[in-house]
Amino acid sequence: MGQPLVDLNSSIWLNADSVVKKTDFPIDIFPIQVQSIINELEVKLNFPLEFSSASFLGLVSALIGNQLELEVKKGWTTRSGVSILQVCDRGHLKSQPMRLILQPLIKMENKLADEYDKKLVEFKENLKEDKNTEPPKQDRMSMHRFSPETIFGIHNNNPKGLIIICNEAKGWFGTFNQYSNNADEALWCDLIDGGYVTRDTISHGHQRIKQACVSILGGIQPSEICKFLEQNTENGLVDRIFFVYPDDLEKKEWTEDEVTDFTLNQIQIIFNRLYDSFKYSGEEYVQRVKYTSEAKRKVFDWQKKMKALVDEKDDRIFTGIEAKAETFIHRFAMILEALHGACEDKPVITEIGETAIDGAIRLMNYFIDQGLKVRRLIGLKGLNKKDLWFDLLPKEFVTKEAVVTAKKYELGSERTVKNWLKTEKRLVNLEHGKYKKL
């Protein structure tokens, strides 16, 4: 399939363990080629590897679009759309990794736009002779400025799907509910879930998308996501968004070392392979796959463990995040399978295997933790940290667990926690150092 990627075992690839900074993000879920690209961008351009990783996930999701469908079990299928927001304060390079890794997609968009402009000129000329001439449709892969109305129109012209790219996601949140209370948040839930989406408005009448597949990739500052969390109407939209919120991002000195042309070329080759592998020609030509028996057993075992955690924690916040994780883990398995296939020169996906689901499980566990971390921001805004700490605790716990939870989410010191344990009326002291929620 065109230009080759360097072989998996080639010495050209960097030793990931020797250069990657300490991070909670499970970077080794990616093929070694992608790990090497991310490492080099971190070392030579100071790009946080978490943000480069998020950009790869968003890119692959968009390139798959509606062309791949996974049957989890009979009656339950899913497509590839995912929504990822990168959280950090200003000045920590959350936009630059997106621009570089999505550059092949933007180049393709420019090419498609040039082709559309030529067709438009031809259309206007033909219209002089034939008033029934059909106008050309503009092929698109991404949107940067948008409203629900434009998404319906552009998605219907591009049934493979779209990726929403928003360097500052507060611009996306800012479009919500301008004309109707809570309606836009509910619509975005439908768009992210995928499938048949419809709406009726006075100004635009009946609009529908037969098979929605919308991915979102963007960045946001902690203070802005706090505002949205405070105003969220409990409709589950936030639980459908996966957050990347690295700890301890530092301002670094520039290095004189340049990213190699080889590395930049590898990003383009990976894009080309995925673009060629997932060309959409209609629903009748969609690639439909299942899990291997081993992979299916692993994801079902993971769900059992998560269900046990939900029962143990008895926590509304965790339950909401985990419920959506059970839905979206399959989408990330598809993304990882496709990415490994591109790096191993396997243009056709026939099944979702163990490597992909192992990576998706680790990735989903990471995203669950990040989701809880983002919820912790509400406590940092001056709301009730004690209530947030209480929600994060399991149904039964010991003093050490209570202290660790508070410190992990920066909710209080050991002294504060011990005071909470003495005064919290929603807890019963079972025995020395052991507690239970009422």
Side-chain angles (χ1 to χ4, degrees):
M1 288 183 62
Q3 293 175 288
L5 286 165
V6 173
D7 182 78
L8 284 167
N9 297 316
S10 172
S11 60
I12 191 71
W13 301 114
L14 298 174
N15 180 342
D17 292 335
S18 68
V19 296
V20 172
K21 69 172 186 179
K22 189 177 186 303
T23 175
D24 292 331
F25 190 94
I27 187 175
D28 56 333
I29 64 174
F30 292 130
I32 190 65
Q33 295 99 325
V34 176
Q35 292 182 51
S36 183
I37 292 166
I38 292 171
N39 291 338
E40 186 167 346
L41 298 181
E42 199 271 332
V43 170
K44 297 180 179 178
L45 291 177
N46 295 335
F47 288 179
L49 62 86
E50 297 90 345
F51 296 161
S52 296
S53 299
S55 296
F56 264 109
L57 292 170
L59 176 64
V60 179
S61 171
L63 289 169
I64 296 171
N66 267 325
Q67 183 53 27
L68 185 66
E69 179 178 84
L70 170 61
E71 181 183 283
V72 180
K73 54 189 299 186
K74 287 184 179 180
W76 180 5
T77 60
T78 189
R79 302 287 172 100
S80 68
V82 297
S83 302
I84 304 173
L85 292 185
Q86 304 165 149
V87 185
C88 72
D89 289 313
R90 287 178 293 182
H92 286 297
L93 302 177
K94 61 180 180 290
S95 298
Q96 287 85 338
M98 283 195 294
R99 291 196 190 105
L100 191 148
I101 292 168
L102 297 181
Q103 192 174 70
L105 184 146
I106 302 304
K107 286 168 60 179
M108 179 61 72
E109 289 270 67
N110 287 331
K111 179 182 176 182
L112 293 173
D114 290 342
E115 292 174 357
Y116 172 75
D117 289 342
K118 291 178 183 178
K119 291 178 182 178
L120 194 60
V121 171
E122 293 174 3
F123 163 73
K124 290 178 180 179
E125 288 298 318
N126 294 335
L127 196 61
K128 296 175 183 178
E129 300 179 5
D130 183 359
K131 299 298 182 182
N132 295 320
T133 301
E134 288 288 328
K137 294 181 179 180
Q138 185 171 8
D139 292 332
R140 297 278 296 274
M141 299 174 67
S142 68
M143 297 179 68
H144 297 256
R145 295 182 181 275
F146 46 85
S147 65
E149 292 81 12
T150 56
I151 288 175
F152 273 87
I154 293 174
H155 199 319
N156 280 324
N157 285 338
N158 297 274
K160 179 180 177 179
L162 295 167
I163 182 169
I164 307 296
I165 303 169
C166 40
N167 289 335
E168 292 295 339
K170 73 174 182 178
W172 171 43
F173 296 154
T175 66
F176 291 177
N177 311 323
Q178 291 176 331
Y179 307 107
S180 56
N181 189 33
N182 303 334
D184 287 347
E185 291 179 27
L187 175 62
W188 278 105
C189 288
D190 291 339
L191 289 169
I192 293 170
D193 287 347
Y196 183 74
V197 177
T198 183
R199 78 173 199 159
D200 295 276
T201 64
I202 295 174
S203 56
H204 294 86
H206 180 71
Q207 293 180 297
R208 67 173 181 166
I209 302 172
K210 292 181 180 179
Q211 180 65 55
C213 187
V214 176
S215 295
I216 300 167
L217 179 65
I220 192 164
Q221 296 174 38
S223 60
E224 294 298 336
I225 192 63
C226 270
K227 291 177 185 176
F228 180 70
L229 287 170
E230 290 170 10
Q231 299 166 4
N232 186 29
T233 54
E234 300 289 336
N235 55 27
L237 177 59
V238 173
D239 294 334
R240 289 169 168 81
I241 301 170
F242 297 95
F243 297 98
V244 176
Y245 188 8
D247 290 322
D248 305 322
L249 289 180
E250 298 176 353
K251 189 78 172 177
K252 297 180 180 179
E253 293 182 359
W254 292 348
T255 172
E256 294 186 10
D257 292 337
E258 299 282 0
V259 174
T260 63
D261 291 337
F262 171 82
T263 291
L264 298 176
N265 193 41
Q266 297 302 290
I267 298 174
Q268 183 68 56
I269 293 170
I270 290 171
F271 174 89
N272 292 344
R273 287 188 174 180
L274 289 165
Y275 183 81
D276 291 340
S277 294
F278 295 101
K279 289 185 175 179
Y280 183 81
S281 301
E283 282 298 301
E284 61 270 33
Y285 301 107
V286 168
Q287 300 176 38
R288 292 180 168 86
V289 298
K290 299 180 180 180
Y291 283 115
T292 64
S293 57
E294 296 83 1
K296 188 172 183 177
R297 176 183 54 78
K298 286 189 173 185
V299 73
F300 276 57
D301 285 347
W302 172 82
Q303 191 274 337
K304 288 179 183 177
K305 293 176 182 177
M306 297 309 296
K307 198 268 182 186
L309 272 177
V310 167
D311 292 342
E312 177 188 344
K313 288 178 177 291
D314 190 26
D315 164 37
R316 179 179 55 83
I317 295 174
F318 181 82
T319 299
I321 295 172
E322 192 279 334
K324 293 300 178 282
E326 289 186 12
T327 298
F328 285 90
I329 187 171
H330 311 292
R331 302 187 184 192
F332 284 107
M334 296 164 69
I335 290 167
L336 292 175
E337 188 71 52
L339 190 52
H340 279 276
C343 291
E344 295 166 19
D345 202 9
K346 296 177 181 177
V348 178
I349 291 180
T350 57
E351 58 190 10
I352 307 298
E354 289 184 83
T355 298
I357 197 58
D358 284 343
I361 288 170
R362 293 179 59 208
L363 184 60
M364 197 51 59
N365 291 340
Y366 166 83
F367 279 136
I368 289 171
D369 195 57
Q370 294 290 290
L372 293 171
K373 181 179 179 181
V374 166
R375 288 352 179 254
R376 184 252 303 169
L377 288 173
I378 297 178
L380 296 180
K381 285 282 290 182
L383 300 180
N384 196 325
K385 293 185 181 183
K386 183 180 178 183
D387 284 343
L388 188 58
W389 164 80
F390 182 86
D391 275 342
L392 291 169
L393 291 170
K395 194 164 187 177
E396 293 188 13
F397 58 93
V398 297
T399 303
K400 183 179 179 181
E401 289 177 283
V403 172
V404 168
T405 298
K407 287 184 175 180
K408 181 177 182 180
Y409 297 100
E410 300 176 21
L411 298 172
S413 65
E414 181 174 353
R415 181 178 178 180
T416 298
V417 170
K418 288 183 176 179
N419 184 53
W420 287 344
L421 291 172
K422 291 178 183 178
T423 59
E424 178 53 64
K425 295 180 180 180
R426 293 172 291 179
L427 295 176
V428 59
N429 191 346
L430 298 177
E431 57 185 75
H432 180 69
K434 187 173 182 180
Y435 301 85
K436 180 180 180 179
K437 291 180 177 179
L438 291 176

